[in-house]
Amino acid sequence: MEIKAVKFRKDGFYTQPFAFGGEEGAEKFDKNIRYRGSLQNYLIDTGSEVILVDTGFPAGTPEESPDENSIAFTGLDISSYMDALSALGYKKEQVTKILLTHKHVDHSGELKSFPNAKIYVNEEEMSADELKGISNLVPVKFTSGAYFNFPESQTICEGVHFIKAKGHTNGNSLVIVENDGLFYMLHGDITYVDEALYENKLSVVYYHFQKILM
């Protein structure tokens, strides 16, 4: 099994209030502190299946124009999402499944480019405007029981687990991949920067995995 980053934007940033401000409030953090950021989604090649985790911005989405007051910048285009997928050596026809972490357009943007893939999405996200008109959605009910300390999960295939993780959106989910004795967490937007992983003591495994791919 291989896990690969589908990279489509680089050299972005997230300010400290944006990255840390959530429940505590942005006013408690320094708006002048910026952390580097980028945009990438992921591909899981099991050997028999090609599974995507999210599908980037839709083609033609313009770059932002940040200034000194910008709280976040998603970065400069490397390529479109579909071109980034091609650069990894894959065609859209090879994709069998897509696991959507959440509805937002930088994660769901190219779903319509994969009409032959099954798109797995938390059933609570099914009514989202971003998903309207897509006929190949599979609503996930999380019937596989607990996965370690996560109370609700759905096994997608051997070693790939879809986890219910409400928070960033009501239908937010994350993906855990087991490979060679390690556990990789692909979490969408549960956090934005490495510093948040340190601060909140989330997943050291995820941190090292992110470093390998970037």
Side-chain angles (χ1 to χ4, degrees), residues 20-123:
F20 289 83
E23 295 179 358
E24 296 179 336
E27 68 281 356
K28 296 185 178 181
F29 298 92
D30 187 346
K31 66 180 181 180
N32 295 310
I33 296 177
R34 292 181 174 184
Y35 305 111
R36 72 184 184 95
S38 61
L39 285 183
Q40 63 276 321
N41 296 158
Y42 296 95
L43 179 150
I44 306 163
D45 189 335
T46 70
S48 59
E49 291 196 89
V50 176
I51 302 172
L52 302 180
V53 180
D54 296 338
T55 61
F57 276 120
T61 301
E63 294 178 356
E64 300 145 22
S65 299
D67 58 30
E68 64 277 5
N69 297 314
S70 298
I71 62 170
F73 171 48
T74 59
L76 303 171
D77 283 338
I78 300 172
S79 68
S80 69
Y81 176 86
M82 297 303 291
D83 285 344
L85 180 65
S86 295
L88 290 178
Y90 295 89
K91 298 178 180 179
K92 65 179 183 179
E93 293 81 9
Q94 293 175 269
V95 176
T96 55
K97 294 182 175 72
I98 299 172
L99 309 181
L100 184 67
T101 62
H102 63 290
K103 63 186 179 181
H104 291 155
V105 69
D106 55 326
H107 295 259
S108 62
E110 286 291 346
L111 290 179
K112 292 180 179 178
S113 296
F114 301 91
N116 298 322
K118 293 182 178 180
I119 303 171
Y120 291 80
V121 55
N122 185 332
E123 63 178 351

Side-chain angles (χ1 to χ4, degrees), residues 153-174:
S153 73
Q154 187 75 50
T155 299
I156 301 301
C157 64
E158 184 177 358
V160 180
H161 306 274
F162 203 48
I163 308 296
K164 191 173 186 178
K166 179 178 179 178
H168 184 62
T169 69
N170 283 336
N172 196 79
S173 304
L174 57 84

